[in-house]
Amino acid sequence: MTHDSTDWLCINTIRTLAMDAVEQAHSGHPGAPMALAPVAYQLWQQELRYDPTQPIWPNRDRFVLSNGHASMLLYALLHLAGSRRVTSEYTVEDQVAIGLEDIKKFRQLDSSTPGHPEYRWTSGVETTTGPLGQGVANSVGMAIAGRWLAGHFNRPGFELFDYDVWAICGDGDLMEGVASEAASLAGHLKLPNLCWVYDSNRISIDGSTDLAFTEDVGKRFEAYGWRVLHVADANDLDALSQAFRTFKQDRGLPTLIIVTTQIGYGAPKKQGSASAHGEPLGAEEIKGAKRKYGWPEDGQFLVPEGVRERFAQRVGERGRKLRTEWEARFAEYQKKHPELAEHLTRMQKRELPEGWDKELPVFPADAKGVATRESSGKVLNALAKNYPWLVGGSADLNPSTKTFLTFSGAMKPGDQTGRNIHFGVREHAMGSIINGLALSKVRPYSATFLIFSEYERPPIRLSAIMELPAIHIFTHDSIGLGEDGPTHQPVEQLPSLRSIPGLIVLRPGDANEVTEAWKVIAPLRHQPVVLVLTRQAVPTLDRTKYAPASGVAKGAYVLSDSKGTPDVILIGTGSEVSLCLQAQEQLEGQGVKARVVSMPSWELFEQQDEAYREQVLPSGVHARVAVEKASTFGWERFVGLRGAVVGMRSFGASAPLKALQQKFGFTVENVVKVAREVIEQAKK
């Protein structure tokens, strides 16, 4: 590919914008953008299929900056390309996402240029890449989605999906375990549309990476089943072009391109040093770097004539041509494959298909009951049959989590057309990968035991930050799993998950509450959800005797009421709901009026208006008891200072379930005892 002086003018514009923005903010990471500017520029100009005027075109290439501290690299690219702003309702506005004034407000309050790229905050940012390793793991989900979309929607003469996923990553990304998990799965699946570009500058915050990171990364990735390419100098545009073309032309495996870079390239004293990583360069270093680039020393936030035009001529024109051709092809596709076209349109807006809930099961009353993981498996399979883009899997626990879609095949090496994903024992990457799937508008779910939510917590938090409708299914939800003991018995996980802003936690109490929980989950467009399920059987309640399970939609509801104002309110979740009902029956036999409230979701309940919340938990009734096989932390907001919680105040123990229930007080007798105590306390 022929290069000219305008190419270097563009590259140095990226570098100087990054230096100036960090310096003005007195905060940031200038070194990586200075080093990576040629790499990112060459990729965008030569290969990236992206239309800045329509930045959410479905078949665009995805560009992920996984080393998100280098955010000014991405902001400069989006600014120079003139990428447009997109609203939360997926409409494109005739306004740039990042203007020059936005770059001048780098890292400032309410700016569109935060310290790390944030999905939703800044149009053109494909994912939030704060914690290292998350971006590359997300990219694996995006690549899986691309392959699945192709298998599901492409038809002869209509290749709607053939996009590639490009991720730039650094030493820190590849030190993180989540990147290793994700890379291992990508290699196993032989994802041909995935390319990671590794910024190998061998510098971290502490200093040289030789302090802690001396492995041969290339050999590691070859062992994962990746193709590994090398570029010896980040400023060698021809070598970069050759590497990108090799990835595009020689398909069959995911590709890692190792590019040797010099952090802070051009800075006279700080080039190649840790001091160029995470702090402003200082005025004199900036002047020296600008002299190296042939730049006006005092020119700040300078975009020379011809730079924006070059971006428009290359990435802009190529993207617009590919996008308009795609739209014309899709118009014909709508005529020949109207149902599939409608599905794709709904997917892009995160809308449900017609008739998605028509076969959801209703479970008959059964005193013996069924584990909620079992009923959830039945509901999930019924739902998925009428929800064609619901895709997911478990971390090697399908027999236990009951999350395998029995009517569909599984994804396998070279073929990602199935709807079941075998993630292997890779909980952290699993969560990150389903975020990548959600970012690609596939509706994903993952599944493992609740105790292993600890491994999945970082991507759960990020799904909440990004407002992604990811579904995180957790079974074996309490000490109820018995003999596996404290290491496997979740205690503090429920309150911990409930503390994440924007996350909905649902712990249904019987099979029909499970069905209603899925009715809540399916329509969500901008909220992730955690569905918490039992290993052990719980009674399926007789809904002719108790309130309808549809109350789940409001987070809490009066399941069984007393005659007249209750003396005490018993609040239960999950498997403890039936325990509350048994305690209510015994209390009534003792002349105590007890109300039972099922509260599967704190978050949904708190979204209800004050009148409804007062109706369920009247403020005049101070005697309240919450019953949950989890840490008592947080229940004060519902039971008040005079109430009590029957819960866990220690870790569990290894024993059969009945012995554990007796030891930790989850018995009818203890709940009744505590209820009578709070009634007496409320009288004082």
Side-chain angles (χ1 to χ4, degrees):
M1 185 175 181
T2 303
H3 312 294
D4 58 27
S5 59
T6 303
D7 290 318
W8 288 105
L9 193 66
C10 292
I11 290 166
N12 290 330
T13 300
I14 295 169
R15 286 168 163 159
T16 56
L17 285 175
M19 291 189 299
D20 289 342
V22 171
E23 192 70 20
Q24 181 151 303
H26 307 296
S27 172
H29 300 73
M34 295 163 70
L36 286 168
V39 179
Y41 172 78
Q42 193 67 357
L43 172 59
W44 277 54
Q45 297 310 308
Q46 177 183 312
E47 298 295 349
L48 197 72
R49 301 188 307 176
Y50 176 77
D51 182 0
T53 67
Q54 292 290 330
I56 55 172
W57 162 47
N59 198 35
R60 69 191 181 280
D61 281 358
R62 270 59 170 183
F63 176 79
V64 175
L65 184 67
S66 190
N67 45 344
H69 54 269
S71 56
M72 266 310 305
L73 176 69
L74 179 55
Y75 298 150
L77 291 165
L78 293 171
H79 169 65
L80 297 174
S83 188
R84 296 297 190 268
R85 183 174 296 178
V86 181
T87 71
S88 60
E89 295 302 314
Y90 312 111
T91 59
V92 180
E93 297 181 335
D94 189 21
Q95 181 179 358
V96 294
I98 299 178
L100 199 57
E101 289 303 309
D102 297 304
I103 287 179
K104 292 178 181 178
K105 295 176 182 176
F106 177 56
R107 287 183 165 231
Q108 303 309 299
L109 183 64
D110 296 329
S111 78
S112 58
T113 50
H116 289 73
E118 299 282 357
Y119 179 73
R120 291 188 309 104
W121 287 22
T122 310
S123 300
V125 171
E126 297 284 5
T127 183
T128 293
T129 53
L132 290 173
Q134 288 296 327
V136 284
N138 292 162
S139 76
V140 174
M142 294 174 182
I144 291 172
R147 297 283 289 169
W148 185 85
L149 289 165
H152 188 74
F153 287 106
N154 289 2
R155 292 294 183 271
F158 295 99
E159 192 170 28
L160 293 185
F161 289 100
D162 59 355
Y163 69 75
D164 290 316
V165 182
W166 306 84
I168 291 182
C169 58
D171 293 299
D173 285 293
L174 298 190
M175 290 187 214
E176 291 285 1
V178 64
S180 298
E181 291 182 26
S184 175
L185 183 59
H188 166 74
L189 291 174
K190 301 185 186 301
L191 298 174
N193 58 339
L194 179 64
C195 182
W196 292 3
V197 182
Y198 168 28
D199 168 23
S200 179
N201 60 42
R202 306 200 63 78
I203 292 293
S204 62
I205 291 176
D206 281 353
S208 168
T209 54
D210 287 343
L211 292 168
F213 188 57
T214 53
E215 68 192 44
D216 188 324
V217 171
K219 288 182 179 177
R220 169 155 65 102
F221 273 73
E222 287 175 354
Y224 288 150
W226 289 54
R227 176 197 300 108
V228 178
L229 306 173
H230 295 267
V231 175
D233 180 2
N235 292 299
D236 187 341
L237 301 186
D238 289 325
L240 290 167
S241 296
Q242 183 58 47
F244 298 151
R245 288 287 165 83
T246 299
F247 162 65
K248 297 280 285 188
Q249 294 170 2
D250 187 9
R251 298 291 191 174
L253 297 174
T255 297
L256 177 72
I257 303 174
I258 301 176
V259 183
T260 302
T261 66
Q262 291 181 293
I263 195 168
Y265 177 81
K269 296 180 180 178
K270 296 187 176 182
Q271 174 179 307
S273 70
S275 60
H277 175 74
E279 60 188 45
L281 294 174
E284 290 307 309
E285 279 292 291
I286 288 177
K287 286 182 179 180
K290 288 179 177 177
R291 284 195 299 271
K292 169 81 172 180
Y293 305 152
W295 208 260
E297 289 184 18
D298 298 321
Q300 289 194 330
F301 300 102
L302 176 62
V303 181
E305 185 177 347
V307 171
R308 291 190 179 92
E309 291 78 5
R310 174 55 59 89
F311 272 81
Q313 289 165 2
R314 292 193 179 168
V315 67
E317 287 187 7
R318 181 175 63 252
R320 182 166 54 253
K321 179 176 181 293
L322 290 167
R323 190 259 306 168
T324 54
E325 290 174 351
W326 187 91
E327 288 177 345
R329 190 158 59 250
F330 183 65
E332 289 299 311
Y333 183 86
Q334 287 177 302
K335 298 174 185 176
K336 294 194 175 183
H337 305 285
E339 183 178 10
L340 286 173
E342 183 195 14
H343 284 177
L344 180 54
T345 300
R346 287 179 180 269
M347 277 186 67
Q348 296 307 307
K349 296 181 179 180
R350 293 195 170 123
E351 296 175 350
L352 286 166
E354 292 289 344
W356 63 273
D357 59 348
K358 64 183 180 183
E359 296 178 15
L360 299 185
V362 175
F363 295 89
D366 181 356
K368 182 180 178 182
V370 63
T372 53
R373 62 170 175 160
E374 295 274 2
S375 52
S376 179
K378 294 177 181 178
V379 179
L380 174 60
N381 268 272
L383 172 65
K385 287 178 182 177
N386 297 304
Y387 195 169
W389 51 96
L390 182 62
V391 174
S394 79
D396 195 46
L397 287 170
N398 275 315
S400 294
T401 60
K402 312 300 180 183
T403 45
F404 194 82
L405 302 182
T406 57
F407 60 88
S408 179
M411 296 185 185
K412 51 193 175 185
D415 179 7
Q416 286 79 56
T417 55
R419 291 173 61 184
N420 292 290
I421 306 173
H422 291 292
F423 288 102
V425 187
R426 302 183 181 98
E427 290 91 351
H428 195 167
M430 175 174 69
S432 305
I433 288 167
I434 72 163
N435 282 349
L437 288 161
L439 288 159
S440 308
K441 305 299 175 67
V442 174
R443 188 70 188 279
Y445 67 87
S446 65
T448 185
F449 295 170
L450 180 57
I451 194 67
F452 302 134
S453 63
E454 299 296 331
Y455 290 164
E456 203 178 341
R457 185 181 174 87
I460 291 174
R461 181 175 186 269
L462 287 168
S463 68
I465 289 175
M466 290 190 277
E467 298 185 1
L468 299 177
I471 305 167
H472 308 275
I473 301 170
F474 295 114
T475 66
H476 296 57
D477 67 346
S478 71
I479 62 169
L481 64 90
E483 291 86 347
D484 278 343
T487 62
H488 278 54
Q489 293 168 1
V491 171
E492 72 277 21
Q493 283 67 33
L494 274 172
S496 175
L497 290 165
R498 287 168 177 153
S499 73
I500 299 175
L503 178 69
I504 294 174
V505 179
L506 279 159
R507 189 174 184 239
D510 80 339
N512 287 307
E513 281 200 0
V514 167
T515 297
E516 296 301 323
W518 276 106
K519 288 182 182 179
V520 169
I521 292 166
L524 294 173
R525 298 173 67 209
H526 300 293
Q527 286 178 289
V529 64
V530 161
L531 180 62
V532 182
L533 305 167
T534 68
R535 177 199 187 194
Q536 75 274 24
V538 295
T540 303
L541 303 179
D542 182 352
R543 296 293 169 165
T544 64
K545 180 179 178 182
Y546 300 115
S550 56
V552 168
K554 293 188 175 182
Y557 64 104
V558 178
L559 175 63
S560 179
D561 211 353
S562 60
K563 295 179 180 179
T565 303
D567 298 317
V568 64
I569 300 175
L570 306 178
I571 310 170
T573 79
S575 52
E576 288 68 74
V577 170
S578 59
L579 178 57
C580 289
L581 289 172
Q582 294 174 59
Q584 178 197 40
E585 186 175 344
Q586 192 169 119
L587 285 164
E588 287 179 344
Q590 298 172 5
V592 176
K593 293 180 290 184
R595 168 182 290 185
V596 173
V597 170
S598 176
M599 185 178 281
S601 175
W602 291 13
E603 300 78 24
L604 292 177
F605 183 61
E606 291 181 330
Q607 290 173 14
Q608 307 309 310
D609 60 37
E610 185 177 351
Y612 179 77
R613 286 183 279 124
E614 174 67 19
Q615 176 186 333
V616 176
L617 298 176
S619 54
V621 180
H622 299 293
R624 302 177 183 183
V625 180
V627 186
E628 185 174 65
K629 289 182 181 134
S631 167
T632 61
F633 184 82
W635 273 108
E636 299 85 1
R637 72 177 68 186
F638 299 115
V639 301
L641 296 177
R642 302 186 197 179
V645 184
V646 177
M648 296 296 295
R649 291 173 171 80
S650 68
F651 294 109
S654 177
L657 173 58
K658 287 185 179 180
L660 292 171
Q661 289 174 325
Q662 188 71 38
K663 176 179 176 62
F664 293 107
F666 295 101
T667 63
V668 175
E669 294 74 21
N670 187 52
V671 174
V672 168
K673 173 178 172 290
V674 173
R676 297 190 71 91
E677 288 172 353
V678 298
I679 291 171
E680 291 304 312
Q681 180 66 28
K683 293 177 181 178
K684 295 179 181 179

